[in-house]
Amino acid sequence: QAQLVESGGGLVQAGDSLRLSCATSGLLFNTFAMAWFRQAPGKEREFVAAIGRSVGNIRYADSVKGRFTISRDNAKNTVYLQMNSLKLEDTAVYYCAARWEDVTTLFTSITRYKYWGQGTQVTVSS
């Protein structure tokens, strides 16, 4: 079965940068759209970014646009989230998600993604 494993989280100061990785196995990675979601304490899980299998098919939440960059390395079956200019509000557990890309639409709803990792904690302090 498909497995997604996030890594790279940690404790950083506001303004710092962090890169998250999501290593996948058990799926044909180059046929899947990948996404990052996050969930802060007391809040619902929210969309962060998604990337399709076509070059340039990328979508970001307004709250992270201009600061975060999603990318993928098909040779490594891995998706990344480069997070710059981190804010206190970015503190959350970050989850990697995958769905087979039957359409080119990059969905923001958690219900559209079938496979999920266990999450990695990102804590931003002042």
Side-chain angles (χ1 to χ4, degrees):
Q1 66 274 14
Q3 293 189 60
L4 286 68
V5 181
E6 302 96 335
S7 63
L11 175 62
V12 298
Q13 291 184 309
D16 286 353
S17 297
L18 205 60
R19 189 180 77 158
L20 306 183
S21 298
C22 174
T24 71
S25 62
L27 52 79
L28 294 175
F29 184 76
N30 64 356
T31 69
F32 276 72
M34 305 296 299
W36 289 94
F37 291 77
R38 66 186 183 186
Q39 187 167 20
K43 299 181 67 177
E44 294 187 354
R45 193 175 305 176
E46 67 175 358
F47 172 80
V48 176
I51 184 169
R53 55 178 175 165
S54 299
V55 175
N57 192 16
I58 294 174
R59 186 173 183 176
Y60 296 100
D62 289 341
S63 59
V64 307
K65 191 172 184 179
R67 299 188 298 120
F68 290 11
T69 302
I70 188 171
S71 62
R72 65 191 296 161
D73 187 339
N74 288 344
K76 297 181 178 180
N77 296 334
T78 300
V79 63
Y80 304 95
L81 185 68
Q82 178 67 46
M83 304 184 294
N84 298 329
S85 302
L86 283 163
K87 304 176 180 180
L88 296 178
E89 300 78 47
D90 296 320
T91 295
V93 177
Y94 283 71
Y95 297 92
C96 180
R99 69 180 304 277
W100 181 66
E101 192 174 301
D102 54 337
V103 296
T104 58
T105 304
L106 296 179
F107 297 102
T108 62
S109 174
I110 61 173
T111 63
R112 297 287 189 171
Y113 295 86
K114 184 175 182 178
Y115 303 106
W116 293 83
Q118 294 298 307
T120 185
Q121 176 71 49
V122 174
T123 303
V124 184
S125 67
S126 60

